Amino acid sequence: MAETYIRSPQKIVATIEKWLAERVHEAGAYGGIVGLSGGIDSAVVAVLLKKVFYNQMLAVIMPCHSIPKDREDAEELIDIFNLPSAVVDLTPTYDRLVRALRQVEENIEPLALSNIKPRLRMTTLYALAQSKGYLVCGASNKAELTIGYFTKHGDSGTDLLPIGDLLKEEVRHTAAYIGIPEKIIQKPPSAGLWKGQTDEKEMGLNYIDIDQYIATGKVESDIQLQIEKRIRRSQHKRNMPPICLISK
């Protein structure tokens, strides 16, 4: 992939650090909180929060029928960077909610069940953030936001999106620059919603093509059609809900 459009990690880190400090100060808050998945995006956000706010931040591991390796990677990151952290196991809550839902609708779509997990995580982060005077920081990057690869009112439910203007490749460069372990950088991106799930497999697209489309608009025609279809279909995720206006 040509990398002429990849911005320098030095500039990215300096800009995000300044921006985080300004946004949190403007809100009258004390720091930031992020859900730590064991993947590269949340790792970058957590380490940047630590750099800006020191111990006035929180990285929260929220297992929910999760892959054990993801938690191990998250815990290793916490140890390396001495991140203030907490663990909230959402598995019992998820199981109880699913049982209650199946009493109403026996055949719930598997994707609908999977989307409960990020929505429970959002609820957890906001409860802790409100109690501590922190802002909830999401870990979505520009590729995911552009094509709508996020759960509405789940991982999109945030106060701030520190890496929301970064292409996936820029996230990787930034991660290397700030010292994220190589095994996390090279790990196949996954939301961890089910065993074997990866972002690229679920999207049917790879991040290199999405990055290139966003940066240059130049990709193969069939890939362009797929990306633009996803952008159109996910527009509702990026907009406020429509309001029915009543005339005077």
Side-chain angles (χ1 to χ4, degrees):
M1 179 183 70
E3 296 185 355
T4 55
Y5 48 79
I6 302 298
R7 294 163 290 188
S8 77
Q10 295 92 331
K11 178 179 181 179
I12 287 171
V13 169
T15 302
I16 293 176
E17 287 181 351
K18 182 174 182 289
W19 181 85
L20 279 169
E22 290 173 348
R23 297 289 86 78
V24 168
H25 176 74
E26 287 171 0
Y30 302 109
I33 186 171
V34 63
L36 198 61
S37 68
I40 186 173
D41 297 309
S42 64
V44 168
V45 173
V47 172
L48 291 176
L49 286 174
K50 172 71 174 184
K51 286 165 66 68
V52 176
F53 301 112
Y54 305 100
N55 288 329
Q56 288 188 303
M57 60 81 62
L58 191 65
V60 187
I61 299 174
M62 295 171 282
C64 188
H65 294 291
S66 303
I67 300 166
K69 183 66 170 61
D70 288 341
R71 178 168 178 174
E72 291 171 13
D73 290 341
E75 289 173 342
E76 181 176 342
L77 192 83
I78 288 167
D79 290 341
I80 292 171
F81 291 95
N82 193 27
L83 304 177
S85 64
V87 177
V88 180
D89 188 349
L90 296 175
T91 305
T93 303
Y94 173 86
D95 289 346
R96 184 171 182 179
L97 178 56
V98 170
R99 285 196 299 271
L101 288 170
R102 282 184 168 145
Q103 291 177 7
V104 176
E105 174 56 60
E106 187 174 342
N107 299 312
I108 301 178
E109 286 289 327
L111 185 58
L113 292 175
S114 295
N115 281 332
I116 291 172
K117 297 176 182 180
R119 289 175 177 138
L120 287 176
R121 290 174 179 136
M122 179 274 292
T123 301
T124 302
L125 291 174
Y126 268 99
L128 293 171
Q130 188 171 356
S131 301
K132 290 180 170 292
Y134 291 170
L135 296 186
V136 176
C137 296
S140 295
N141 57 59
K142 191 169 188 174
E144 293 162 348
L145 293 172
T146 298
I147 69 165
Y149 187 67
F150 55 86
T151 299
K152 194 172 184 178
H153 307 308
D155 42 341
S156 68
T158 68
D159 297 311
L160 302 175
L161 288 168
I163 63 170
D165 192 44
L166 302 192
L167 302 172
K168 188 68 174 184
E169 191 65 16
E170 289 178 318
V171 176
R172 293 190 179 102
H173 284 231
T174 303
Y177 176 71
I178 61 178
I180 302 295
E182 187 67 17
K183 66 178 182 178
I184 292 179
I185 296 174
Q186 297 301 328
K187 189 178 183 179
S190 171
L193 297 179
W194 58 81
K195 186 176 180 180
Q197 184 262 348
T198 68
D199 294 355
E200 292 180 325
K201 189 187 298 182
E202 189 179 357
M203 290 188 292
L205 294 162
N206 65 59
Y207 279 110
I208 290 175
D209 289 333
I210 300 170
D211 281 356
Q212 191 168 330
Y213 173 84
I214 294 169
T216 71
K218 297 177 181 179
V219 291
E220 293 180 9
S221 58
D222 60 327
I223 293 172
Q224 180 176 339
L225 289 173
Q226 289 183 63
I227 291 173
E228 291 178 349
K229 180 180 179 181
R230 279 186 164 274
I231 292 172
R232 289 192 301 272
R233 291 182 64 182
S234 63
Q235 189 59 44
H236 68 98
K237 294 185 175 184
R238 293 179 292 274
N239 294 338
M240 289 292 291
I243 297 171
C244 176
L245 299 177
I246 312 299
S247 60
K248 294 183 179 179

